[in-house]
Amino acid sequence: MSTVGHLINGARVDDATRTQDVYDPSTGEVGGQVALAGKATVEQAIAAAQDAFPAWRDTPPAKRARIMYRFKALLEQHADEICRLIGQEHGKIVHDARGELQRGIENIEYACGAPELLKGEYSKNTGPGIDSWSEFQPLGVVAGITPFNFPAMVPLWMYPAAIACGNTFVLKPSERDPSSTLYIAELALEAGLPPGVLNVVNGDKEAVDTLLDDSRVQAVSFVGSTPIAETIYARASANGKRCQALGGAKNHAIVMPDADMDNVVNSLTGAAFGSSGERCMALSVAVAVGDEAADALIDKIQAQMKTLKVGPFHDADNDFGPVITRAHQEKVCGYIESAQQQGAEIVVDGRGVQVPGHENGFFVGGTLIDRVTPDMTCYLEEIFGPVLLVVRAGSMEEAMRLIDEHEYGNGTCIYTRDGEAARYFSDRIQVGMVGINVPLPVPVSYHSFGGWKRSLFGDLSAYGPDAVRFYTRRKTVTQRWPSTGVREGAQFSFPS
Amino acid sequence: MSTVGHLINGARVDDATRTQDVYDPSTGEVGGQVALAGKATVEQAIAAAQDAFPAWRDTPPAKRARIMYRFKALLEQHADEICRLIGQEHGKIVHDARGELQRGIENIEYACGAPELLKGEYSKNTGPGIDSWSEFQPLGVVAGITPFNFPAMVPLWMYPAAIACGNTFVLKPSERDPSSTLYIAELALEAGLPPGVLNVVNGDKEAVDTLLDDSRVQAVSFVGSTPIAETIYARASANGKRCQALGGAKNHAIVMPDADMDNVVNSLTGAAFGSSGERCMALSVAVAVGDEAADALIDKIQAQMKTLKVGPFHDADNDFGPVITRAHQEKVCGYIESAQQQGAEIVVDGRGVQVPGHENGFFVGGTLIDRVTPDMTCYLEEIFGPVLLVVRAGSMEEAMRLIDEHEYGNGTCIYTRDGEAARYFSDRIQVGMVGINVPLPVPVSYHSFGGWKRSLFGDLSAYGPDAVRFYTRRKTVTQRWPSTGVREGAQFSFPS
Amino acid sequence: MSTVGHLINGARVDDATRTQDVYDPSTGEVGGQVALAGKATVEQAIAAAQDAFPAWRDTPPAKRARIMYRFKALLEQHADEICRLIGQEHGKIVHDARGELQRGIENIEYACGAPELLKGEYSKNTGPGIDSWSEFQPLGVVAGITPFNFPAMVPLWMYPAAIACGNTFVLKPSERDPSSTLYIAELALEAGLPPGVLNVVNGDKEAVDTLLDDSRVQAVSFVGSTPIAETIYARASANGKRCQALGGAKNHAIVMPDADMDNVVNSLTGAAFGSSGERCMALSVAVAVGDEAADALIDKIQAQMKTLKVGPFHDADNDFGPVITRAHQEKVCGYIESAQQQGAEIVVDGRGVQVPGHENGFFVGGTLIDRVTPDMTCYLEEIFGPVLLVVRAGSMEEAMRLIDEHEYGNGTCIYTRDGEAARYFSDRIQVGMVGINVPLPVPVSYHSFGGWKRSLFGDLSAYGPDAVRFYTRRKTVTQRWPSTGVREGAQFSFPS
Amino acid sequence: MSTVGHLINGARVDDATRTQDVYDPSTGEVGGQVALAGKATVEQAIAAAQDAFPAWRDTPPAKRARIMYRFKALLEQHADEICRLIGQEHGKIVHDARGELQRGIENIEYACGAPELLKGEYSKNTGPGIDSWSEFQPLGVVAGITPFNFPAMVPLWMYPAAIACGNTFVLKPSERDPSSTLYIAELALEAGLPPGVLNVVNGDKEAVDTLLDDSRVQAVSFVGSTPIAETIYARASANGKRCQALGGAKNHAIVMPDADMDNVVNSLTGAAFGSSGERCMALSVAVAVGDEAADALIDKIQAQMKTLKVGPFHDADNDFGPVITRAHQEKVCGYIESAQQQGAEIVVDGRGVQVPGHENGFFVGGTLIDRVTPDMTCYLEEIFGPVLLVVRAGSMEEAMRLIDEHEYGNGTCIYTRDGEAARYFSDRIQVGMVGINVPLPVPVSYHSFGGWKRSLFGDLSAYGPDAVRFYTRRKTVTQRWPSTGVREGAQFSFPS
């Protein structure tokens, strides 16, 4: 059984003094080990990144970008292998892994635009004979800490942009499903990144703390749960670093009475149950405005859910796979149980789902719960499982109030065909990513990803234009040349 | 003797349970009192700002900007009175106060461009029939905490941009010289700001802590010393707020052997002694490359310093005035003393300067110290007084190393006529604001102000384009309309 | 009776060898004379602009902008007098003149942003040690030729932006209503424009041809009718100049069955009859989708039109005033006559309207014509009078086809509450300025104004961002410094 | 012997009613034939482009861009074959062809950024509840007409950007060397462009005129000589199209007395003789300031020229190859002859150069002419051959005057190490592309290429940001939603 190690200064490093099991969630069995880097190993990665920085910052952005073009091509070429690795350790069905990878590749495409994106602002004659311009220089060594649910995509939100901007990078991916992340990083090196520009260390809190405290690390990007995000943001900030920390979510869709209900149901089921709901953009609460809409919604979703297939990752006919761990499986079932106890109506119950031949897999079936109220545990917390809650509201205002009063503000959606309702909603709702008839309003790679309220700590969002600003530091130069120089005749006898 | 109070919800509030003396530094006498707001008063200001927010965010940016046009006109009209208030409490000579005010007005001019600056990014067909755009929405209530040395300008770095972006504002200015700040804020209301959009509270740590801890405050901009900046940044960040905290400086100018020495001396004396050196962009260290350059520099500056006039603020013939307090006067003299003791050469000694008729004023004369070395106290710390240090370096590389190894990285400058030296310097130096033959490279209002290293904590700089980004939150909307609507004939009888 | 002359090099020039009558359209009487500049006078203006250019281009953009701030304030201060002059010579009611002036002032506000708008693009390390940037430099002397219908606004679309970008300007306004234009230009000088930066010549074809053929004129902006626009574009282009020439319009509104009909009628009457329909953005054709919508529309508009008041400019109770000339009055009535003869239904007939006390004024009353078909003369040509045509279409597709097949493509509008219909329309319609429930979709000053098809000749639209690009020329600088310079030790004995 | 035909609607079309010889300039022999498209064939191409447009404009920009990624990869893969085709028909040495191809590929890279580059401007609340945005929509069918000297690169300046913006394209390349152009276009189709999106027609004036006059063609990009550029610009403009027409050049380098002379000579010889001087950015005039600089320059260049190798394209040891035709060879020699007769000093004479084994090739050797004066024919006209003129000037001002008084204003360069001289030069010189110690200041692909004066007709430059603006049309949408809709409870039964 193999152990997944680290990638430091262009080489695999197998610092396996401490290791942890990596599971195959479809079978429930241990599939390998991952090394947990100690402080010294992380510092070695930081040092490699630090050493690689001076030459990398001086590499023209167009040359840096050209490596990204090759990186993209390599990922497209090795997509099958990457998706297999994702599926094996995460449980995601192969088509879903493909989607994740494609989204990741789109972030590389964005990084290909570095020469354009790094343009500074040039002002002629800010005063008489004085020019000023602002450059966006790389920070130095930056770190990324990423979650288990998108082992390919979330790291690709970070390091392609950071590196294309001239930084060097240390990535600490999730220790739950480390293989695809490492494999992809190796392809980045194969594409031409010089040793030390991208380093990967697997690990746990010790690794994270080392990254947060080491003064050579200039910035930290984090994606994970809100409590951890908050801690990381506070610690990195107290250490004088810039930090962006993305946390949890509870994404609501408002279903208006004039909504195209077939469209609602088709798109909502994917958004609620895809990837077993283990997405920070999963649509986990539907708020129906009026009982008529609610009843219609429940009926149609219930019907549609009959066709949902849950099973192991390698079977592309499945709609979604297992959750990440046995503990998480139990936690999700616990939320369903609590809903029942607190008075909600379990319309479809995914507990106890049986997947023949995979009896030990960490499966939870698609679950639909009606008549949820805002005080229930299942409503207040992020379930991160294939569970769709339905709340009934008497008006759009009431529905919006629910959303605004929730702790999180990552994504949201309204289903309507009315222009005014859409504009009112998107203008006012206290959520960072808003869909109009789009249940998973994940911004495309050339926009930026960021929630509001306790879903994101920091000024700047992930990927897209904000990433360029996050991974660079403004330098403003003001230039005036003294007026008597070689231009005037007397200077012709200038030194040979 | 009057007491300067607060400005809350459009009205003067005189919560004078606690007060503090305000001095006239030119005479050394107490000129008035300032009220120190307690927690309740600050919360009242926050509440006023919170209440004013919904209507203000909905006011079209062009209308918000139009108030800024009027505000600018009012400041130009009342410039004399503003400069008198600045001089009286800060000690700055009237022409210097004018310069400060003009810089502040330029920040208002920038805010007049809000309709252009707030443009979001619009993408057609991010998918088939899907459009996405990013809006930059205001944050809500934001706070500014500003220092004594620019009572007019630094607040104007902050609130015009914040307010033009649709936020409402609570300003906590320096309690040392509060009058001009308050007077200017009243003109902003006169220009048309609705009550509650801009509030001013005078105070001390209690007021600051209230702003940092109140969950209604979304963001904090701070300018002051590095230790305080660091504390504020950590606390605001731990509270989940966005924060930008600007701290201290130690700005070096490199004087190259090919520099136009007359230009160096003319511009350096202003940059070193102007406003008694109480500027975070003051040029406080000259690094001469080669002894020949150093000797020439010392000779010429020494000669030029003979013409420097120090005296009270109201006499426009003076070059600079007193420092802010008796304690600060003593601190500055202490640095000169330490330099002497640690082996530097005091070429011109400003201690004990006598200003006839103002014997109790907090004056320190222009001071020139040669042969300073990097281990001396006067070199390591920010003096914030009219003291220019000269360090001698053997090469440009050595000079640059000095700068890069210093704790601060606010501003710096090189004097040369050589294009290559200038480019090498501006590219590599670890400082945020760089001058080429410009000793005070303060960015114009349409660029942004920000140091590097321990001179700024946060991702985004002050004023200019960065301020627009700091004072707004990105919201990304993804929109798709279901395909069967009123457009198709059959739908004329719209579905129930 | 006074003669309106020219403004050249900062002074009034009264070259009155040829003159033309200027009428008061409300009374039908001659109110004054306008001088018609000969070639020599126009060349004098061009020469003045040419001479003023070198110093003006070197004036920092922020200083140029500061004159625009004062210009705006002066226009606000003298608004009454300006509106009186507009009304007297154009016939526009005072509230309408106010609106025009306000729009013009907003273009000055945009020009105040010149320092931001003129920022070039700066790229570090386009190659090793090589930097490149693009500057946007002024062109030199540029000319504007403007129509009678907006004597204040259209010139202000042009010269504030051109001048703020560093150009100098020669304006040839309409000879029909020259007084307000000249008065405003004098206020621009009073605001601080140096002599020669803005020049005004009144005249006719001889003046226009001189501007088009003189090689010192770098660019021409024109607004007028399509045949003239086309001629001017061809001639200016053949002379190697850049040119933007805006022509005529026939703006349609589609009224969908789900439209809020009260909103339609309220907004449509203003858009159709305001300023007697003498606007290139006038809404002159309503296309009702379905007979039900058509009938409702006709009923409600007819009712609303009963309240319309036509009369002289100075009475603010009037809704609109006379048309510009007797000849134009007859032309408009001729279109109504032709409609009748070609089979349309004259629902409300504005011919023969009587304005007591102003029997000789050039008045035409509000006219509503139903059952217009695309082959009628009144449909094919631009009427430029207070005449609203109604066309009945069987579907939205048919309505859109009408618009796309018309020669012009200036503005258009759809009335609906359906998001899908709005998006389908705005995406596909071959028109440059599109309103959703907005009948006069004139872009705000920080966007740009431009029609499609035969409504605009040229690449770039008027005012807003496009104007900045039109009035500047890109210069790209690529810079590399040889590597051995003063920076290296040996050069320390650089010249004394 | 094969005949090069056309590429229309995704297929080779061999309309060979009229053909023309294609030469191998290295041997002087005919290597094939090119078909000359008649009007009908060109109209077929236009029709194909027109038909392909609706689907292509609706293809999401990111999908369009993805084809560009593949196109880039295919060109890199087939680089050898492309360079062979270029060399065979143009005569360019293989390394030079590689350089050309690389530059072309960089334009494809820029087009990959379409999703970012096409972002419109979004303004919230331009009025109460009113939003406005500007979209940049494709024009429709656009045409490119390109010259012989860069058969790969110049077409790639045009169609990748045009197509990525959503247009469809008809390319009319040079009939002198059509093969590489066609081969590359076929790779674009292989990369995934749908049939009709890119069409190539070979031809002569008949083809050009058809493109200029056909009303379906919305815009024309041209690169060639100034007289043709001027004619094309006038005709396209008179036809109401947008047009950018790039013409000739006479690029000067000023050599200042303080220049690094070794750098001057190394870079100048490549810039003057590379590609036999058949480049619109060739550096063809060196202006030495002061006789000392001139003498040193002549000496060093003369020495360096001894090592120059001229010969056939396939030998990579050669520095440059033949000129394009026998007639052009004679024309270049005629210029050298005229220089001699008009009193210049032929320092190195390239006439009569012998290339063993290639006696009939169209070779001209590197030629250096000193003491050229501005009245000489060789100075006034563009030679487009391997001929470097040296003019001696007494001052920098005199040197700049020469440049500004020349008809052309494409590129220019100054050699100096003095920052002030460089800034003075780049600010004031009337030339569009300026080098500081860079003799061929061709902007990188993410800036734009454009000369001034009679080197470019039109508002917008080629490739880079300007191309995006040139190939799109601004549409501004203003949107307001009526306030009573589905959002309010009562409206649940939607109004009839």
Side-chain angles (χ1 to χ4, degrees), chain B residues 119 124 131 420 423 446, chain C residues 119 131 423 427 446 487:
Chain B
K119 282 179 178 172
K124 192 73 170 291
D131 305 326
E420 196 275 337
R423 200 269 181 189
Y446 42 102
Chain C
K119 281 179 177 171
D131 305 328
R423 200 270 183 188
D427 178 28
Y446 43 103
R487 183 162 64 87

Side-chain angles (χ1 to χ4, degrees), chain D residues 107-282:
Chain D
N107 292 108
I108 301 171
E109 290 174 355
Y110 191 71
C112 289
E116 175 71 21
L117 301 168
L118 288 170
K119 281 179 179 172
E121 309 179 350
Y122 186 82
S123 294
K124 193 73 169 292
N125 283 325
T126 53
I130 301 177
D131 304 328
S132 283
W133 66 92
S134 290
E135 308 179 3
F136 294 93
Q137 295 201 347
L139 307 173
V141 181
V142 301
I145 302 167
T146 57
F148 79 86
N149 61 332
F150 286 105
M153 182 183 76
V154 173
L156 292 173
W157 284 6
M158 299 175 182
Y159 67 77
I163 285 173
C165 287
N167 301 283
T168 55
F169 206 91
V170 181
L171 174 67
K172 210 298 291 168
S174 171
E175 66 277 22
R176 299 263 171 73
D177 46 8
S179 296
S180 63
T181 316
L182 199 68
Y183 183 83
I184 289 172
E186 288 177 323
L187 292 175
L189 297 184
E190 188 182 329
L193 285 185
V197 170
L198 173 62
N199 307 276
V200 181
V201 287
N202 283 299
D204 53 12
K205 191 166 186 306
E206 183 176 340
V208 168
D209 288 350
T210 306
L211 291 170
L212 294 176
D213 293 342
D214 193 296
S215 67
R216 292 167 297 181
V217 174
Q218 302 292 319
V220 176
S221 295
F222 171 84
V223 175
S225 71
T226 286
I228 308 295
E230 197 164 23
T231 306
I232 280 182
Y233 185 68
R235 187 160 174 170
S237 297
N239 285 330
K241 299 185 197 317
R242 59 174 70 185
C243 182
Q244 55 181 189
L246 283 68
K250 194 81 181 181
N251 305 315
H252 298 57
I254 296 182
V255 182
M256 293 295 284
D258 72 333
D260 173 335
M261 205 57 80
D262 289 330
N263 176 41
V264 172
V265 171
N266 284 330
S267 63
L268 211 55
T269 49
F273 306 121
S275 203
S276 307
E278 292 175 321
R279 291 170 175 162
C280 66
M281 285 297 275

Side-chain angles (χ1 to χ4, degrees), chain C residues 231-247:
Chain C
T231 305
I232 279 181
Y233 185 67
R235 185 159 176 172
S237 296
N239 284 330
K241 299 187 197 316
R242 59 173 70 183
C243 183
Q244 53 180 193
L246 283 69

Side-chain angles (χ1 to χ4, degrees), chain C residues 74-416:
Chain C
L74 284 173
L75 294 195
E76 287 166 345
Q77 205 177 313
H78 295 85
D80 286 344
E81 174 62 5
I82 293 167
C83 293
R84 198 186 58 73
L85 289 172
I86 295 173
Q88 202 163 280
E89 292 179 355
H90 175 281
K92 201 172 279 198
I93 310 303
V94 66
H95 50 68
D96 194 17
R98 272 284 177 167
E100 168 181 0
L101 179 60
Q102 175 55 26
R103 282 282 182 172
I105 289 173
E106 287 169 25
N107 292 108
I108 301 172
E109 291 175 353
Y110 190 71
C112 289
E116 176 70 21
L117 301 169
L118 287 170
K119 281 179 177 171
E121 308 180 351
Y122 186 82
S123 293
K124 193 73 169 291
N125 284 324
T126 54
I130 301 178
D131 305 328
S132 282
W133 67 91
S134 289
E135 307 179 3
F136 294 93
Q137 296 202 346
L139 307 174
V141 180
V142 302
I145 302 167
T146 56
F148 79 86
N149 60 332
F150 286 105
M153 182 183 77
V154 173
L156 292 173
W157 283 7
M158 298 176 183
Y159 67 79
I163 285 173
C165 286
N167 301 283
T168 54
F169 206 89
V170 180
L171 173 68
K172 209 298 292 166
S174 171
E175 66 277 21
R176 299 263 171 74
D177 47 6
S179 294
S180 64
T181 317
L182 199 68
Y183 183 81
I184 289 171
E186 287 176 324
L187 292 175
L189 297 185
E190 189 181 328
L193 285 186
V197 169
L198 172 63
N199 308 276
V200 181
V201 287
N202 284 298
D204 52 11
K205 193 169 184 304
E206 182 176 341
V208 168
D209 288 349
T210 305
L211 290 170
L212 293 176
D213 293 342
D214 193 297
S215 67
R216 292 168 297 182
V217 174
Q218 302 292 318
V220 176
S221 295
F222 171 84
V223 174
S225 70
T226 286
I228 308 293
E230 197 164 24
T231 305
I232 279 181
Y233 185 67
R235 185 159 176 172
S237 296
N239 284 330
K241 299 187 197 316
R242 59 173 70 183
C243 183
Q244 53 180 193
L246 283 69
K250 195 80 180 182
N251 305 314
H252 298 56
I254 297 182
V255 181
M256 293 295 285
D258 72 333
D260 174 335
M261 205 58 81
D262 289 331
N263 176 40
V264 172
V265 171
N266 284 331
S267 63
L268 210 56
T269 49
F273 306 121
S275 202
S276 307
E278 292 175 324
R279 292 170 175 162
C280 65
M281 286 296 276
L283 207 304
S284 53
V285 185
V287 186
V289 176
D291 274 328
E292 204 173 323
D295 293 342
L297 185 68
I298 290 285
D299 278 2
K300 292 206 171 202
I301 293 190
Q302 200 174 354
Q304 172 112 349
M305 284 176 71
K306 297 219 168 81
T307 69
L308 279 182
K309 285 190 60 181
V310 56
F313 79 92
H314 49 72
D315 180 353
D317 282 349
N318 289 327
D319 290 296
F320 60 94
V323 297
I324 187 71
T325 57
R326 168 97 41 224
H328 190 55
Q329 182 193 34
E330 286 160 6
K331 192 173 166 193
V332 173
C333 293
Y335 280 120
I336 301 170
E337 176 64 26
S338 77
Q340 199 161 19
Q341 288 180 359
Q342 292 170 15
E345 186 181 321
I346 313 295
V347 182
V348 181
D349 190 341
R351 288 174 293 181
V353 68
Q354 287 302 320
V355 178
H358 289 76
E359 285 73 11
N360 293 318
F362 312 143
F363 295 99
V364 181
T367 299
L368 178 65
I369 310 182
D370 193 7
R371 303 195 182 274
V372 170
T373 55
D375 53 326
M376 295 180 182
T377 310
C378 68
Y379 179 82
L380 292 167
E381 299 180 12
E382 185 176 25
I383 297 178
F384 230 60
V387 180
L388 176 60
L389 314 182
V390 176
V391 180
R392 289 158 178 254
S395 69
M396 179 168 153
E397 290 291 348
E398 186 189 330
M400 285 177 66
R401 207 175 316 119
L402 280 172
I403 297 172
D404 283 347
E405 288 174 357
H406 203 286
E407 171 186 12
Y408 299 118
N410 220 41
T412 191
C413 163
I414 189 169
Y415 285 103
T416 184

Side-chain angles (χ1 to χ4, degrees), chain B residues 100-112:
Chain B
E100 168 180 2
L101 179 59
Q102 175 55 26
R103 283 282 182 172
I105 290 173
E106 287 169 24
N107 292 107
I108 301 172
E109 290 175 355
Y110 191 71
C112 288

